[in-house]
Amino acid sequence: MRPGAALRIPFLARLRVGRKLMLLVLLPVTGMLAFTVFGAVTQWHDAQTMRDFRTATALSFRTTALTDAIARERIAAVKARLRPGAATLKERSGAEHATDHALNAALLGASRWTGPPDVPGRLDARNRQLHALRLQSGTGSLTAPQLAAQYDTIEDDLLELAATLESGRPTRTSGQAADAHIALLNAIEAAERERTELAVLFDTPDAPHATATDRWSALEEALLDDFDRTAPAALKGRLYVVLLQHPGLVVRQTRETLADPPSRLNSWPTYPSWLTVSTQRIEALRVIQHQAAAGLGRGAARDLDTARAREARDLAVSLAVLAAVTVLALTLRLSITRPLSEVSAGAHALAEGDLSYDIRYAGRDELGAVADTFRELRVTTERLAGEINTMNTAIDDNRLGHRADVAAFEGTWAQLLGGMNGTMAAFAAADGRRDKAEQELASIFHLSLDLLCIAGLDGYFKRVNPAFERTLGHSADALLSRPWLEFVHPEDRARTRAVLDRLASGVELAEFENRFVRDDGTERWLQWSARPVTGEGLIYAAARDVTESRRAAREQTALRRVATLVARGVPPHEIFSEVADQVGKVLSSGSAAVLRYGADGAATVLGSARGPATSAETAAAAAVSAEVARTARPARVGRSVGAPIVVDDRLWGAVVAAAAGTEPLPPGTESRLADFTELVATALANADSRDQLTASRARVVAAGDASRRRIERDLHDGVQQRLVSLQLDLRMAQSMLDEQPEELAEQLDHIAKGLDDTFADLLQIARGIHPAILSKGGLGPALRALARRSAVPVELDLRLPAGRLPEWIEVAVYYVTSECLTNAVKHARASFVAVSARVEDDVLEVTIADDGVGGADLGHGSGLIGLVDRVEAIGGKLHVGSPPGEGTTLTVRLPLPRTEG
């Protein structure tokens, strides 16, 4: 301040402390008044939420009443379809009237509903769908399962609508009651569907049915577990009584009987008895559901009444507090001026360094003295603050070598700065050790091939290493931003949550396995080891990806099963069916089949598993089979995948699998199926080869028998008859010696000619058994002789060794060529045939190609099958390519015996 300048006093400094206090009190009073208004608005909003929830629950109860009516109509319609009659038709009509009544009641209640979801629209849509279904049911165009499935669709939508209406949950109690109610509704629906499905089964137990109904019982059990977690104790007790009563025990026994594959039909319940006990059990569950609904309704009304009472009470309390604060402010105005003189005396003591507050106040009241005292401390405080700020800046910049100037201060301030310098030195030493430890830990954390993480007990990852991102495909940001249970497979979440609860309770070490879902939808099995630090609210865990080892173990089990069946020599169709079943288990698919391709590319089903396929699945399987046949590579069409079976470098067949539900098989299934198919290809080929070998042996025996019969017939009908005739002629000639000597010479000429003809017949038979030219000249001259005798032109390209080939090989090639030339004339209607033969790498390869009509198939015609038997009997391979309209090419590869050098 300049000397002689007048001191400018602000306006407020001219007021007395009492008046300033009144002005100061107005601020909290105004704030409290605003808080009171805000609280009243909040309470009104809460009450409105309670009213909306009560209205939604009332509409949900009408919707659930409609679901009960539709469930009764469904079973009545199924009974009428299974066993038509006056009683069942009357029951169905009554159920339809009850459903219409419940639907009208629901529509009436929904007419006043204005919030989401669109309840009137959805109820009207279900009404139209229900009437359309009744028309189809009346015509009898739907089977019982199809009829039940149509009703199931309507039930699913209504149950979802009820769950949506009850999802408001303004309080924890109402939320638990709503969860219990919805869980019991869904459990009853699961029991209803089980009753319908088993009614169809027990109506015609001898008909082929899939008895794997455990999915409904498992779903019902899971839903009842949800109900057990959220329902009141009284309702839990009633549920246990219902489950342990006679109908509940009979239903459980029925499930166990159906789950046992060796169970016989005579141990199954009858159609009427099943309907009786299942109906009794479901009706008992409905009683509990009505009680749960009543409890939910009472809870909603109670919550609304509580909210209204709380609104009134809070408003009254707020007004009372406001009045009390006002009275207290008036009282403080009278009492606050007296202690100010004592505060002024204490300020002189603070000037010695006890406190460093500074205030810029120049009023003429009692607080002016306090301001003068504090002003003396300002310079010292500013210097000390400057030193502290400089040290804080050094800490922020990681300049831990900085030290404060302790010598510029005295007393407590010097001691304070000296302590800060010591703390800074300790920080510097600790920071060096921490940096080293963090570098070592970071190296291990980032380089580890196992999955390492730090998770909080709040359910979120705090830190993950790069192995997490590589294994699960999710980025680190995605893993840290969502609850980690969302990445766990839905079927493993309950079990994983139980492990998390154990860790939160302080269990030292937990080891478990679960499945995580990658970003592409595939599953990965992780083996975990975790340790909690409850004091910090953290869990340190390490995981190892064991997906491939589990998958390999499952595939090895399947391969051992197939190999065992092959080794035991079971029929091929059983092996093929077992392969299909194992493929379904390995891939967790709905159906699977083993196919064999014919020469025309058509696929024949050799074995299938996992239940009958729908028409859509059959069409998808056919499309996949055609794609595999075209590309000889794994393929996917819709919800079906297929992989080729390659045996001896040729496409033998395919394995096709289809998804069980509406979702397609996960990505990568084609490669998994291809890997497994490659492993079982040898087993399939062995089984098929054993079957073909058995058939080949039978054909060889039959061919040998036929050849012996032909030779016997030729000898009997030809040579034997001629010899008998010549014997008679000789006796006649003998009788002519005395009586007719002039005719004897003529008779002897006749006998000589007969002997010549008989010799020619024997020679012809001998040549039919084995060609003489083949024995004398070898394979080349024999093939040239066949070409000369052929009815169509034959072009020969023979590159054979100079010496003779083994006799069995020459005979096989001769007869294969002879049969092919005969087929080219008789069946292929060819105009030209090319025959080539060459030896390369100790293998004789013979190719016979014609320009005929094609379409030859090894599976039809004994001629080609005989050639295959002859060639494979000496260790060779025969392949036929005969596209329709493009001629036929037959290739024979025969191994030659190695000659010792």
Side-chain angles (χ1 to χ4, degrees), residues 440-463:
E440 295 174 351
L441 178 61
S443 298
I444 298 174
F445 195 80
H446 289 86
L447 296 178
S448 174
L449 297 179
D450 291 334
L451 287 73
L452 304 178
C453 70
I454 302 174
L457 294 178
D458 58 356
Y460 284 83
F461 286 120
K462 305 303 180 184
R463 187 177 180 185

Side-chain angles (χ1 to χ4, degrees), residues 597-603 625 629:
Y597 293 127
D600 57 353
S625 172

Side-chain angles (χ1 to χ4, degrees), residues 352-372:
E352 301 295 330
D354 295 340
L355 192 62
S356 60
Y357 291 111
D358 187 20
I359 183 170
R360 298 179 181 275
Y361 190 81
R364 295 178 180 180
D365 55 10
E366 296 83 357
L367 293 179
V370 178
D372 292 338

Side-chain angles (χ1 to χ4, degrees), residues 355-360 373-387 408-409 413:
L355 192 62
S356 60
Y357 291 111
D358 187 20
I359 183 170
R360 298 179 181 275
T373 303
F374 278 24
R375 196 173 290 115
E376 294 178 7
L377 299 175
R378 186 183 67 176
V379 176
T380 303
T381 303
E382 288 178 349
R383 290 169 53 206
L384 182 62
E387 289 290 344
F409 295 87
W413 315 128

Side-chain angles (χ1 to χ4, degrees), residues 40-54 170 300 303-311:
V41 172
T42 302
Q43 294 293 342
W44 177 85
H45 182 267
D46 292 342
Q48 183 64 35
T49 302
M50 299 294 182
R51 284 191 292 271
D52 293 341
F53 181 71
R54 187 177 66 174
D303 290 342
L304 178 59
D305 295 338
T306 302
R308 289 173 174 172
R310 186 168 60 249
E311 179 181 5

